[in-house]
Amino acid sequence: MSSRFSKLAKKAFVGQITATAFVTPRILLASTGPFLKVFDVLSGKTVAVFEIFQHVRVHGIHPEAISDDPTLRSVRVALSGGKEGKVVNLSFQYHNKTGALETCDHTVESSFPVFVDWVKDVYWIPPAEPATRSARLALAFAHNFVQVWSLETFQLLDQVQCEEHCILYSARFFKGADGVTYLASGTVFNQILLWDMSKRNEKTEGVVGKRLIGHEGVIFNIRVSADGRRLATASDDRTIRVWETEVDRTSSHVALHGHSARIWDCKLIANMVVSIAEDSSCRVWNIDTEECIACWEGHGGKNVWAVDTDPLGNFVATGGGDSGIRLWNLASLALNKIDSDQHLTPVPLSEEPDSTETVKTFGLLSFSESVISTSTGRFLASDRKLELREIFVDEAFERYAVLTTSECGRLVVAGNIAGELVAFSPHAAFQPTKWLAHSGKVIQVFIRSTNQADVWHLFSGDEKVEELLMSTVTLCPEAGPCLIDRIATIILPVHFWTMDIAFSREHRLLIVGSRSGAVAIFETPLFDPAEGLVTEPACLEAKLITRRVHGKDSVSSIALDLRSSVKLDHELVFGTVGRDGKYCRFSVKRKDGIWVMEQLYRSKITKGWLEHLRFQDDMTIICGFYDKRFFAYNETKKYEMFSVACGGGRRRWDFRMEDALLNRATFGFLRGEQLRLLFRETDAVKRFSEPKLQDNHTGHETRVVRFLHLGDQESVTSLLVTSGEDAVLRFAEFDPRRKDQNFRSILSIKKHTSVVRGIAFTRNQANATLMFTAGAREELRCWRLEADGLSDVRCLDMAVAPSVSPVAESRVMDIGACSLDSFGTQFKGLHAVLAACSDAYLRLWVYDEPQCTFRLVGQSKAHGRCVLKARVFLLTDGLSVPVVAAVSAGTDGRIMTWDLGSALAAHDRAIPPPGAESVTELRSPVHVSKVHQSGINALDVAFGSALIEDGRRAILIATGGDDNAISATRISFRKQDEAAADAGLQVANITQGAALSPHSSGVTGIRVLPNGSLMTTSVDQRLNVVELAETEAGIYSFACVASHYVDVADISDMDTIASE
């Protein structure tokens, strides 16, 4: 037994990425736990994984040299973690044709003895001869001293203590512009000390040459520019500061503000700083303008720990607390600020030089198509190749035209000076339809989509009458003229020049913004095009008018905020932007029969004009003009995403974006009566195949882990289901044959509203798998798992149990489940689910699979305190009549064994379930033992034919508690012929024992192995294997036969699965 577990092989590790370092533009090194991973970023493949340390994480990766050579054959790398360090040599092999990295081997050149202090930085001291390898290594330590070690003799050559005796949060060696090697020390006193190791005072201590003072928090990391002239610091005060390193010069520094949490690291590259922070974002800053020019988000959880840029400055690699590694396109930032016309595409109307035809107005149909109205009354469609095709001609639109397009690009509506409107298709999907709508010049046309693909709402107004006409445009199935139906006439307030509108069909509200800064709200009739025509258009007057929303400046854009994160019951939330440069959000609701508008938010964005507002992908995007430039601003992330030098606010412009990050967008504007277009596609400058170099698992605390074997009996792969604080159920494939120390993510589902604490599986006689999950707010859910192997796993949400606890914040701490198919024919399709609850109740639910319903059939408050663990199982081996038994454990340190047969036998699915107050009380437990001094956080129960003695069935209960102890309890039950027919389970014999301190912290995981031994784990990061033996006195003795360090900190759960 002991030989089997004396050496456990690490098969997979998913943890936070602690460091990243590029060696070449192709090769990236990354550390997670004790492992060093080698990636080919251009192909997106994991090439090799090496275990570097046994008991510490790798926190520092320090290549001897960084090269732009695509065929680099080897490199030496110094690795540090805690008080340990190693130097390894990595050798690379490439594919002969593609140049892709195929293999990487490593050899350990030197392992240092355990240092006396934590290593903060490592520096390769340059050799005297440039062509030779470095023979010395300098290390900076947490107590502000430096050691120099020989790489030839592995001896300590020198040590120097800085004259400033203090603890460091960070340190960085660098070679200054003067050729001197300095150490920049980030102290606990919020200062950065620059000191030269070669200069000593009378105490032979290093002399501080310069102090950099300005941070209001500790310095978490320090980075230096390639030329050594600049130094950037990341701090607890949520700022990055950029300093000059010249020792003899006093100068000011640049402070960059924008992160919403602590900043862990940063990198200097040219005139930019790349920073990562606790807010899970990576930002790029322009040092000269002190502006954030990019904000990238993609990591889960709350931390991005590691960052590096490739030697050519094309992309950034970040590693998160979610175990993910992502690549970001730094080269694409060149598309964010357009200053010259070389990026603009003019659209010529004619190849003839003497043509007098000019563009009157235009609209974007999509990212590659636009529609143009010309001075000859022609309407032309233009594509990405600048090929023009005529789609409609009418001389009535020669002198003047106002034009708008639908969001889908299938409908164009134009108005002219005579009050006429025309609706036509840019793709000839229906015949143009023209009608006289107004008595004067049409000045506003708005199209809004409906819940039907071929129907749109149309709003139009003229310059003579202060009103808007509300109509619908419906396409005919025979491709004939479209059908125009007037719904209402909106009577505008006096001197109300409409600038933009927003329409909510759900709330039947029309919101109109004016040139004078006012907002008016109208109730509209309920109109369904499927019900037929509206013969009597309604006249609508404003139900609510709010003046000076943007002072005296125009309300230039209105948008409904339908994001799920801000959606309020019975309220409509909308936003406005104006030419006062401000962005506002409001809610409107009916109160006591009157519409009330409340301001939720107000912010000054620019000194210029704001012209367009859009809510997309849970972000707020604002467009405007300032200093002769058009810009798109991400108000959620607080940075300017994109700007174009276009000459300032234009009479006609349009902007389309595919997503909130502007990965694909088109901007068009008129200059000199000519249309100019800018096509933005960040994928066009992408230099890697896949932005996710390593998929993320979770960035939050994991509370529960469960294995499940879903494949056939010969399959070696398993399904791993985890969840925790973020309430997301994550499904991953575990394959012990993998060499990259990773799982394959399959599926993520979030239906729980808060933390998940319990997961249990059952299988019915048809071998269908059900999963039960439970956690905070008394949520208990059932899911059906369907799988085609592990390549296609589907998780179907089947049912939610009703809330029954009188305590509002009651939590389900754990659950157990078993199928009742074998309990009797009347129980076919039923499953028992036992819930341990924080309100001191143990609750027994029955899930009816055919009806997809939960029913509470019994409960008990026997523990008297919070119940922490619960298991339920069906005893069938050696029995003529199956028995449903359960074990529970609580904060009282007691375990209780239950016979649930009577509670289940009383269940009748034909009778409506009773209320929670009349639920049957469970029978008293058949056995109660106090096995711990405090809470029991780990519980496992073994049962089956191996535990049957003399025909008596038995169970083995293993527990672990907050008191650092583990216990084992074996309960033998009387034979069925020894007990009365209705007596249920009766205890015949008990064998118990406890080990008081097998761990140095609370035990959080315990499993009974197939051979009867115990596997335990704890917050102390130890994984122990314990053998049980029964003494002559009839108690259990415990012998620890193996103990291993686990790379997971703060272990909260453990599970095992049988493997060949």
Side-chain angles (χ1 to χ4, degrees), residues 413-425:
V413 177
N416 62 21
I417 200 168
E420 295 174 313
L421 294 175
V422 62
F424 58 89
S425 167

Side-chain angles (χ1 to χ4, degrees), residues 55-113:
H55 303 107
V56 297
R57 297 173 178 173
V58 178
H59 279 285
I61 304 175
H62 313 276
E64 181 179 11
I66 297 173
S67 172
D68 58 3
D69 181 4
T71 60
L72 182 72
R73 292 297 174 183
S74 66
V75 66
R76 289 195 298 173
V77 181
L79 301 163
S80 61
K83 298 180 180 181
E84 298 186 28
K86 280 187 180 180
V87 175
V88 300
N89 186 78
L90 301 179
S91 56
F92 310 111
Q93 295 292 328
Y94 303 88
H95 191 276
N96 291 332
K97 294 182 179 180
T98 64
L101 182 62
E102 288 194 321
T103 62
C104 175
D105 297 317
H106 90 299
T107 56
V108 178
E109 290 196 356
S110 61
S111 293
F112 296 97

Side-chain angles (χ1 to χ4, degrees), residues 851 855 906-914:
Q851 297 184 15
R855 178 172 181 156
H907 169 70
D908 188 344
R909 64 174 70 179
I911 301 176

Side-chain angles (χ1 to χ4, degrees), residues 155-168:
Q155 299 295 315
L156 178 63
L157 302 178
D158 190 17
Q159 177 170 321
V160 55
Q161 171 73 53
C162 179
E163 64 179 354
E164 184 88 11
H165 292 217
C166 60
I167 296 175
L168 307 183

